Amino acid sequence: MKKIIVTGGAGFLGSNLCRYLLEKGDYVICVDDLSSGSESNIKLEHDNFKFISHNIIKPLEFEGEVDQIYHLASRASPPDYQSAPIHTMLTNAIGTNNLLKLALDKNAVFLYTSTSEVYGDPKVHPQTEDYWGNVNPTGIRSCYDESKRFGEALCMSYYRKHNANIKIVRIFNTYGPFMQKNDGRVVSNFINQALLKKPITIYGDGKQTRSFCYVNDLISGIFLLMNSKHMGPVNLGNPKEVTVLELANKIQELIGSKSEFVFKDLPKDDPLRRQPDISLAKEKLGWEPEISLEDGLRKTIDYFKNS
Ligand code: UDP
């Protein structure tokens, strides 16, 4: 049985990962300060599960062995990280440093969850891992983009200086059960609005694109990377690209709602197009998503209705 720390384990991705690891038979220590995660996500009556309430900006003292650390702790929704830009930056900078030190101390494998946001508003499409990105270093998204980029550079520095066993994954838009229902992101907003028969808020003209990955697909990719020989960075996401308008229409159709669309200003620095090139994940991990947008949205809508 492996002993595994999951930071951000009470969040959307983290709570899905904790469940996945427990099913595999591992011992899981979930570390979260509940700033964007929620205790209701981890109501897990399991002997091999432990929750530690802790803000990783402070060093984490942990007795005993640790085999692996999945470092997911960070706000990730644009409205949320923009409302707490300093906390976001310090979590990704000082928090990541604290966890890297712990990994070195315990001789544990360290997996850092980076983001497609490191590509900013990309000028290369689809995005490959060797693209350095187009990020506004002082814009409203920079607290997230730049601190995630710093986190990647810090992992590489621990690897170069101390031979730390690190892995970097760049996660593209993901959705599914246990996502925060009021996180202000596009999938949750549209599902809430369509279920309540309220107007659907389209930012800009809705022609900007994203590529949405169902959470189970993403979690299996993260697990494969952690247990592979590959270091990354590696993109994980679903390469099916859709416009925001297409997403809105699909959600309306699945819910059977006829909410009107209201067009609002496009937020500053909102990336125009985003689509992962996942050739590397296919080659190195034998991974690709299996769940279609339609099937994934059905499961997510059920979660929103029933929880
Ligand atoms: N968006 C929208 N309406 C909403 C919320 C978001 O049109 O109610 C758009 C947003 O401007 C962006 C895309 O949907 O182009 C995805 O936004 P989200 O906040 O989910 O995450 P991002 O991919 O920008 O980090």
Side-chain angles (χ1 to χ4, degrees):
M1 182 194 289
K2 288 198 192 78
K3 224 168 172 185
I4 302 179
I5 291 181
V6 179
T7 74
F12 163 44
L13 297 181
S15 58
N16 278 283
L17 178 62
C18 289
R19 284 183 172 76
Y20 187 84
L21 295 172
L22 287 170
E23 269 169 35
K24 294 258 179 216
D26 294 318
Y27 189 91
V28 178
I29 303 122
C30 162
V31 177
D32 205 300
D33 71 352
L34 302 177
S35 54
S36 56
S38 117
E39 241 171 331
S40 62
N41 282 352
I42 46 161
K43 283 205 177 109
L44 296 163
E45 300 295 323
H46 205 298
D47 291 345
N48 296 343
F49 181 74
K50 183 177 171 180
F51 171 60
I52 299 176
S53 176
H54 177 78
N55 178 338
I56 56 160
I57 297 171
K58 298 194 195 98
L60 177 66
E61 312 281 339
F62 189 79
E63 298 285 328
E65 288 177 15
V66 180
D67 299 296
Q68 299 179 333
I69 299 177
Y70 288 88
H71 176 30
L72 281 76
S74 172
R75 295 166 191 262
S77 145
D80 189 30
Y81 66 64
Q82 285 162 28
S83 76
I86 299 168
H87 180 264
T88 301
M89 293 206 77
L90 297 184
T91 302
N92 289 328
I94 297 175
T96 301
N97 190 50
N98 286 334
L99 269 304
L100 277 162
K101 275 194 199 156
L102 183 69
L104 259 192
D105 184 41
K106 303 285 182 189
N107 211 8
V109 192
F110 181 86
L111 183 144
Y112 179 62
T113 52
S114 184
T115 165
S116 54
E117 289 273 322
V118 299
Y119 302 121
D121 189 6
K123 295 205 184 301
V124 166
H125 195 80
Q127 292 81 56
T128 45
E129 290 84 351
D130 56 7
Y131 175 50
W132 292 354
N134 175 40
V135 172
N136 175 352
T138 56
I140 55 170
R141 297 176 86 106
S142 65
C143 59
Y144 184 66
D145 301 9
E146 292 292 17
S147 62
K148 281 289 185 184
R149 287 167 69 98
F150 176 90
E152 286 198 16
L154 194 63
C155 290
M156 293 310 297
S157 301
Y158 270 78
Y159 164 67
R160 293 192 180 108
K161 190 77 187 164
H162 299 298
N163 204 24
N165 192 348
I166 60 113
K167 313 212 165 254
I168 300 172
V169 55
R170 293 185 181 149
I171 298 174
F172 284 65
N173 294 64
T174 305
Y175 67 99
F178 299 105
M179 64 194 298
Q180 230 186 319
K181 286 182 173 174
N182 58 352
D183 68 2
R185 306 185 83 169
V186 70
V187 172
S188 35
N189 274 6
F190 287 180
I191 293 178
N192 285 330
Q193 291 159 348
L195 285 175
L196 296 170
K197 312 222 175 302
K198 286 189 173 161
I200 303 268
T201 52
I202 309 279
Y203 300 163
D205 60 9
K207 292 193 182 131
Q208 70 272 34
T209 70
R210 294 293 186 270
S211 308
F212 296 95
C213 187
Y214 187 66
V215 64
N216 291 16
D217 279 332
L218 187 95
I219 297 298
S220 69
I222 292 180
F223 176 82
L224 285 172
L225 176 64
M226 174 61 107
N227 295 289
S228 76
K229 291 199 166 55
H230 189 62
M231 179 163 72
V234 60
N235 290 339
L236 290 182
N238 192 319
K240 176 152 177 50
E241 184 185 12
V242 293
T243 66
V244 163
L245 276 175
E246 284 165 345
L247 178 74
N249 283 318
K250 179 55 75 187
I251 289 174
Q252 291 260 70
E253 178 195 317
L254 293 174
I255 290 178
S257 105
K258 294 198 164 34
S259 295
E260 57 164 333
F261 290 171
V262 288
F263 290 83
K264 306 238 175 197
D265 288 345
L266 188 68
K268 250 186 140 300
D269 295 335
D270 199 281
L272 203 60
R273 296 185 76 184
R274 187 183 287 156
Q275 181 192 31
D277 181 316
I278 58 164
S279 314
L280 194 66
K282 279 187 190 162
E283 183 199 324
K284 301 286 182 192
L285 311 176
W287 176 86
E288 66 183 307
E290 289 171 357
I291 298 164
S292 69
L293 181 61
E294 187 156 326
D295 287 349
L297 284 175
R298 273 208 189 92
K299 292 174 204 277
T300 311
I301 291 164
D302 283 348
Y303 172 76
F304 273 66
K305 278 185 183 161
N306 301 322
S307 63

